[in-house]
Amino acid sequence: MSQMIHRRNVIVRTEHGLHLSPCSRVAQAALKFRSQVWLTKGSVRADAKSVLDLMTLAAGPGAELTLEVTGDDAPEAVEAILHLFEYDLVSASS
């Protein structure tokens, strides 16, 4: 049985892009869910539960990423990661 892929676009709104600290926050949020969580920039796909994987995205300020989530708690994971990119990472970088 194939699972539905929940896909949304997110914008990196932090002043310095996805450096170590925001990558760590994204990974910590993703690890709270059983679902698989991926972020993609161009042809680079990263496991959002891995800080090192996220760093390979080299996502600077304003970069558009594609969030893809599959699993039983995918809708909740999508909302949590979207909220992180929209509000939490922005306020943490100010």
Side-chain angles (χ1 to χ4, degrees), residues 10-67:
V10 296
I11 304 293
V12 176
R13 300 181 191 281
T14 58
E15 183 179 355
H16 301 291
L18 280 187
H19 55 85
L20 184 60
S21 180
C23 284
S24 178
R25 296 194 59 206
V26 170
Q28 288 172 2
L31 282 165
K32 293 178 182 176
F33 300 95
R34 293 180 309 277
S35 293
Q36 292 182 341
V37 183
W38 300 92
L39 283 167
T40 305
K41 179 182 166 228
S43 63
V44 180
R45 189 174 194 223
D47 179 350
K49 296 181 179 186
S50 166
V51 175
L52 290 178
D53 252 21
L54 290 169
M55 295 289 292
T56 66
L57 294 173
E64 184 173 332
L65 308 176
T66 301
L67 171 65

